Amino acid sequence: MPDVHALFADYASYHRTKGNKAFHRIGIPLIMLSLLGMLARVHGAARWSLDAGGIGGVHALDAATLLIVVATIYYFFVEWRLAIPMFFVSVVFYVIGAKLPMWINVALFIVGWIFQFIGHSVYEHRQPAFLRNFVHLLIGPLWILNDVVPVVRMAPPLR
């Protein structure tokens, strides 16, 4: 079972400067929005028919929906109180991203990553955390959400 405090502490150790944090607060949501928007266009072979509660027809599973489901399950193991709002944020980002033209999603994705790397190269002078631990790609959005919806109390940063 992953420990949210350990994950956040490790992630926070790569994000100590105000400039890096500011760029991440913009970059991570841009990446998340645009990634879900791009993945909403990738449809798998899984199709099903459902006729319950007025929802009828054939439905296709796209890659963004699969990512949201897998990430939400992981987030429930990490911290269920953040998993619930993150699920709703993800659904809103999915709907918005799916409506945006593909070129805008691509542009936002690139800008989001540029913001990430500016934060690390200009302010933090340290490589992004996900280069050492790939799970940090999932922890970053949760860490940002915890700033907005403070659920996990973090220890004060070392000086």
Side-chain angles (χ1 to χ4, degrees), residues 67-90:
L67 176 60
I68 290 170
V69 169
V70 170
T72 300
I73 291 168
Y74 176 73
Y75 290 152
F76 265 99
F77 282 110
V78 171
E79 175 53 67
W80 69 270
R81 295 171 299 171
L82 285 172
I84 294 168
M86 180 56 82
F87 172 76
F88 288 109
V89 168
S90 299

Side-chain angles (χ1 to χ4, degrees), residues 14-149:
Y14 286 80
H15 305 88
R16 293 181 179 262
T17 65
K18 288 183 181 180
N20 191 24
K21 289 178 185 177
F23 273 92
H24 276 62
R25 285 186 183 108
I26 298 168
I28 287 176
L30 287 177
I31 292 168
M32 194 173 151
L33 170 74
S34 58
L35 180 63
L36 291 174
M38 291 186 287
L39 291 177
R41 292 164 170 83
V42 179
H43 296 279
R47 295 185 183 277
W48 71 92
S49 179
L50 177 66
D51 193 13
I55 303 171
V58 175
H59 304 279
L61 180 67
D62 60 57
T65 302
L66 184 61
L67 176 60
I68 290 170
V69 169
V70 170
T72 300
I73 291 168
Y74 176 73
Y75 290 152
F76 265 99
F77 282 110
V78 171
E79 175 53 67
W80 69 270
R81 295 171 299 171
L82 285 172
I84 294 168
M86 180 56 82
F87 172 76
F88 288 109
V89 168
S90 299
V91 169
V92 169
F93 278 15
Y94 172 89
V95 170
I96 294 169
K99 291 183 185 290
L100 292 175
M102 184 64 154
W103 71 269
I104 291 178
N105 278 317
V106 171
L108 291 175
F109 189 77
I110 292 168
V111 168
W113 279 108
I114 289 170
F115 273 44
Q116 298 290 89
F117 287 107
I118 288 173
H120 280 283
S121 63
V122 174
Y123 295 98
E124 198 72 32
H125 304 291
R126 190 170 184 192
Q127 289 184 332
F130 74 86
L131 293 177
R132 190 179 61 79
N133 184 349
F134 200 65
V135 171
H136 283 281
L137 290 172
L138 288 173
I139 295 303
L142 208 60
W143 189 70
I144 296 294
L145 180 65
N146 193 60
D147 278 349
V148 178
V149 182

